[in-house]
Amino acid sequence: MAVTTGNIVSWIAALASTYGEQQSYLTELDAAIGDADHGSNMARGFAAARDDLQGDPPETPAAALKRVAMVLMKTVGGASGPLYGTFFLKAATTCPQANELNGDQLLEALAAGTEGVQQRGKAEVGDKTMVDALVPAVEALRESRTAGEEPAAMLAAAATAAEAGRDSTYPLVARKGRASYLGERSRDHLDPGATSTALLLAAARDHLAA
Ligand code: ADP
Ligand code: MG
C-alpha cells in the first residue's frame, strides 16, 4: 500500500528502459518544434540515474529522489534537465525522514515537485510544456486520495490524466521554451516534454506502487 525506496529504484530503472526505447520518438517530436535532443537527453539522464541508484542503493525515498535530482541536473542539460531535476529535488524535500510513502505523502511529494517545475520554468497550463501533463496528474492524485484511494489507484488516475494532458498540447501554440520561438508553427505537434512526463507517470503507475 505504501511506496518504498525499492519501488523508487524500480521506477527509475523502468524509466531508463522506457526512455531508451522511446528515444527516437521523443527526438522526432523535439525535431519538429525544438532542437531534436529531448530523446537523447532523457535516455542519457535516466540511464545515469539508474546506474547511480543501483551502484549504491539509497536508504530512504528522500535519499533516492535527491540522488536522481542530482544526476539529472548534471547529465541531462537543456531546459528539461534542470526542470526534471527540480521536480525530484522538491519531491525529496517533503519526506526527509520517511521510510516509505503513504498516499498523503506521495501526493505531497509529487505536488511539491510540480510546483517546483512551475516556479523554476514559469510555465502555466496551456503554455505547451511538461506542466500541461504534470498539473492534471497532480489534480488526479489529489482527487483520488480525497476519494480514499491508495497509491496504486492514485497513480493509475494520474497516469491517465497525464496522457490526456499530453494530448491537450497538440493544438496549442508554445509560449515557453525553444518551441515558443516558432510561434504559430508550433501548433499541431505534441510537446516533447509533456510526452516524456506522461511516460514518467505511466512508469510510476506500473512500478511505484507494485
Ligand atoms: P531544450 O528545449 O533545451 O532543448 P529539451 O529538448 O530536453 O530541452 O526539453 C524540451 C521540453 O522542455 C519542452 O518540450 C517542454 O516540455 C519543456 N520546457 C521547456 N521550457 C519549459 C518551461 N519554461 N517550463 C516547463 N517546461 C519547459
Ligand atoms: Mg530540445
Side-chain angles (χ1 to χ4, degrees):
M1 286 305 200
V3 175
T4 65
T5 309
N7 289 146
I8 294 173
V9 174
S10 302
W11 177 37
I12 299 304
L15 282 171
S17 301
T18 296
Y19 291 137
E21 286 156 17
Q22 301 295 322
Q23 179 170 344
S24 43
Y25 175 57
L26 292 172
T27 288
E28 201 180 293
L29 294 178
D30 197 31
I33 59 169
D35 59 352
D37 65 352
H38 192 58
S40 54
N41 285 345
M42 297 303 286
R44 182 176 62 250
F46 281 84
R50 172 202 55 206
D51 292 349
D52 183 78
L53 295 180
Q54 289 180 350
D56 178 16
E59 293 199 348
T60 60
L65 294 167
K66 192 169 170 191
R67 292 251 302 277
V68 172
M70 295 305 166
V71 173
L72 294 181
M73 287 185 184
K74 210 167 56 191
T75 58
V76 177
S80 59
L83 289 167
Y84 278 119
T86 299
F87 176 80
F88 283 94
L89 193 61
K90 292 287 179 186
T93 62
T94 64
C95 53
Q97 313 292 348
N99 284 315
E100 48 184 40
L101 308 181
N102 64 24
D104 290 337
Q105 290 167 310
L106 175 66
L107 166 62
E108 205 190 338
L110 299 186
T114 298
E115 281 158 25
V117 169
Q118 289 198 270
Q119 273 160 14
R120 179 136 193 174
K122 308 280 180 237
E124 304 287 343
V125 169
D127 287 348
K128 197 177 180 106
T129 71
M130 61 177 70
V131 167
D132 291 337
L134 282 171
V135 166
V138 170
E139 280 167 7
L141 287 174
R142 185 167 283 119
E143 276 172 27
S144 171
R145 186 60 179 167
T146 303
E149 300 292 357
E150 293 295 329
M154 292 168 66
L155 290 166
T160 302
E163 283 168 8
R166 171 201 64 203
D167 293 344
S168 78
T169 65
Y170 188 83
L172 297 175
V173 172
R175 288 193 292 245
K176 283 283 183 294
R178 240 174 237 288
S180 66
Y181 309 154
L182 294 180
E184 282 291 329
R185 282 181 293 136
S186 64
R187 241 189 240 291
D188 298 339
H189 295 283
L190 283 180
D191 177 60
T195 305
S196 59
T197 291
L199 294 169
L200 184 124
L201 270 307
R205 173 198 59 209
D206 295 341
H207 298 275
L208 216 39

